[in-house]
Amino acid sequence: MPGTATLPRSDFAPLIQEVRAAGLLDRRTRRYAGTVGLDLLLYGAVFALVAVVGDSWWQLALAVPAAVLTTRLYFVGHDAGHAQIAGTRRVNRLMGLFIGNLAVGLSYGWWTDKHNRHHANPNHVDKDPDVGVGVLVWTAEQAADRQGALVRWLTRNQGRLFFPLLLLEGFNLKVSSVRSVIAAARGESGDRRRTALLETVLLAAHAAAYLGLIFSVMSPGMAVAFILVHQAALGVHLGSAFAPNHKGMPMPGPGERWDHLRKQVLTSRNVRGGLVTDWFLGGLNYQIEHHLFPGMPRPNLRRAQPLVRAHCARLGLPYTEEGLFESYAHALGHLHAAGAPLR
C-alpha cells in the first residue's frame, strides 16, 4: 500500500510542533464547563419531565431525547479518559467516574483501558480489542474459525445485521461494565481494588436512581418499554458515531510495524460534513486528528484538520475523508466481505 513504508519517526515532529504553536493542545476548560453543564442540565431536565408528565405514552417518547443526551455524556466521558478536559489527571479521572459510572452507568476504568489499547494499535487484529472476535468478526480468517450454526449464520449476514445489532449495544456496555468492575474488585489488590470497589458503588447508585425513578413514575410495562427504547436508541446513536472511524480501513499485519503518523492516519477515516455532522458524531468525525493527538480537546479537532491534511499531502500520505453514508457503506461492505468464507 502506498505510504506504508517505514520512514523516519521525525515525520511526525514538524506536525506536532505546528499544532502546538497554534495552541490546539491547550485545555478548553471554559468551553467544557459550559458544554458539560448544559448537557447535564438537559439530561436532568428530560428525566424530570419523565416524572412530571405522569404515566402516559409521552413518557415513552422522552426515551429518545434521553438517549441522545446520554450519548452526549458518553462523549464527555470519552474526553475525560483522554485527559482532554482538565489540567490534571486526577480531575479528569474524577470527571470520568462522575459522568461515566454515576451519570450514565458505564465503567470509566474498563472503558478507558479498552479504548487506550485501541488507540495504541488501531485496527491491529492481535492488539486492538475493537477488532477482536466477538459477536462480529473483522477478517476472513476470524470468520473461517466460527463454530456453531447460529454463530456462522450471524457471521454470514453480519453486514446486514450490523445496525439491528446496535439496538443491543447499550445493554452490552452496561453488562460489560458490571462484569469488569466485579472481576476487578475480586481479583485485584491495593489501589486498583479500591478503585474497582468505588466504581461498583457508583454503578449501583446509578442503577438504583435510574430504575427507582422509572419504576416509581411509570407502570411496570411502561417502565420496561422506556428502558428498552432508551438503551436501544443509545446503542444505535453510539454505534453510528463510532462505526465510520476505522471499519474498512487498512489493518496492519502481525509482522508490520508502522510509525505513529502512519499507524494513526492510514487506519482512520474522517467523515466530512458541517455542524450537524459534527454534532451527531460528537466531533469524532475528525478521527485522524483525534488519533494523532488523543489529548487534544475535542472542540479543537476541526481547527487541526487543515494542518494535518496539508502535512499528509506534503508526505504523499493518503488522507481518507468521506461523506457519512459513504463511510457507512464502506464499513458495512467490509463486514460483509469478512463473512465471505462462510457464504
Side-chain angles (χ1 to χ4, degrees), residues 89-112:
R89 184 170 298 277
R90 179 175 181 272
V91 174
N92 280 297
R93 177 174 169 274
L94 290 174
M95 286 197 64
L97 289 170
F98 173 74
I99 295 292
N101 292 69
L102 186 60
V104 300
L106 176 73
S107 167
Y108 172 73
W110 164 76
W111 181 86
T112 300

Side-chain angles (χ1 to χ4, degrees), residues 192-210:
R192 296 183 67 176
R193 185 170 187 271
R194 284 189 288 271
T195 298
L197 289 172
L198 173 60
E199 286 207 60
T200 303
V201 170
L202 293 175
L203 287 176
H206 166 81
Y210 178 70

Side-chain angles (χ1 to χ4, degrees), residues 271-283 285-286 302 321-324:
V271 178
R272 72 171 67 92
L275 295 178
V276 173
T277 302
D278 288 2
W279 183 89
F280 176 68
L281 300 180
N285 44 312
Y286 303 101
R302 172 186 273 271
E321 186 177 29
E322 299 175 347
L324 181 61

Side-chain angles (χ1 to χ4, degrees), residues 264-294:
Q264 306 301 343
V265 172
L266 295 175
T267 61
S268 302
R269 173 194 292 113
N270 277 16
V271 178
R272 72 171 67 92
L275 295 178
V276 173
T277 302
D278 288 2
W279 183 89
F280 176 68
L281 300 180
L284 294 174
N285 44 312
Y286 303 101
Q287 191 67 193
I288 295 173
E289 289 71 28
H290 172 57
H291 262 256
L292 286 172
F293 307 101

Side-chain angles (χ1 to χ4, degrees), residues 54-133:
D55 191 12
S56 74
W57 288 105
W58 286 109
Q59 287 180 317
L60 188 59
L62 287 169
V64 175
V68 171
L69 290 165
T70 304
T71 303
R72 312 319 297 172
L73 292 177
Y74 267 74
F75 290 148
V76 173
H78 164 272
D79 295 357
H82 284 298
Q84 295 177 12
I85 301 175
T88 68
R89 184 170 298 277
R90 179 175 181 272
V91 174
N92 280 297
R93 177 174 169 274
L94 290 174
M95 286 197 64
L97 289 170
F98 173 74
I99 295 292
N101 292 69
L102 186 60
V104 300
L106 176 73
S107 167
Y108 172 73
W110 164 76
W111 181 86
T112 300
D113 174 71
K114 176 177 178 290
H115 194 61
N116 286 343
R117 286 186 284 126
H118 157 69
H119 267 264
N121 293 282
N123 258 17
H124 194 296
V125 175
D126 296 331
K127 300 177 180 179
D128 182 356
D130 287 356
V131 292
V133 175

Side-chain angles (χ1 to χ4, degrees), residues 92-300:
N92 280 297
R93 177 174 169 274
L94 290 174
M95 286 197 64
L97 289 170
F98 173 74
I99 295 292
N101 292 69
L102 186 60
V104 300
L106 176 73
S107 167
Y108 172 73
W110 164 76
W111 181 86
T112 300
D113 174 71
K114 176 177 178 290
H115 194 61
N116 286 343
R117 286 186 284 126
H118 157 69
H119 267 264
N121 293 282
N123 258 17
H124 194 296
V125 175
D126 296 331
K127 300 177 180 179
D128 182 356
D130 287 356
V131 292
V133 175
V135 175
L136 305 174
V137 298
W138 312 100
T139 69
E141 292 75 17
Q142 290 174 336
D145 291 336
R146 300 290 257 179
Q147 300 296 324
L150 178 60
V151 172
R152 290 170 68 86
W153 174 84
L154 176 64
T155 300
R156 285 197 300 273
N157 297 282
Q158 63 179 10
R160 302 183 186 92
L161 294 173
F162 177 72
F163 280 105
L165 285 171
L166 289 182
L167 293 168
L168 302 174
E169 181 61 14
F171 297 101
N172 175 55
L173 291 170
K174 295 288 191 298
V175 172
S176 297
S177 291
V178 171
R179 291 176 62 183
S180 70
V181 296
I182 290 177
R186 289 176 174 174
E188 299 291 348
S189 60
D191 290 342
R192 296 183 67 176
R193 185 170 187 271
R194 284 189 288 271
T195 298
L197 289 172
L198 173 60
E199 286 207 60
T200 303
V201 170
L202 293 175
L203 287 176
H206 166 81
Y210 178 70
L211 297 176
L213 170 66
I214 291 171
F215 278 95
S216 67
V217 299
M218 300 181 188
S219 64
M222 184 67 74
V224 170
F226 182 95
I227 292 170
L228 291 174
V229 173
H230 179 207
Q231 298 303 318
L234 168 64
V236 172
H237 191 354
L238 274 176
S240 298
F242 286 101
N245 297 342
H246 304 281
K247 306 304 180 268
M249 296 303 292
M251 304 180 74
E256 293 184 83
R257 296 179 63 85
W258 299 355
D259 64 10
H260 176 72
L261 183 68
R262 286 155 184 80
K263 181 192 297 184
Q264 306 301 343
V265 172
L266 295 175
T267 61
S268 302
R269 173 194 292 113
N270 277 16
V271 178
R272 72 171 67 92
L275 295 178
V276 173
T277 302
D278 288 2
W279 183 89
F280 176 68
L281 300 180
L284 294 174
N285 44 312
Y286 303 101
Q287 191 67 193
I288 295 173
E289 289 71 28
H290 172 57
H291 262 256
L292 286 172
F293 307 101
M296 178 182 290
R298 188 157 39 100
N300 289 349

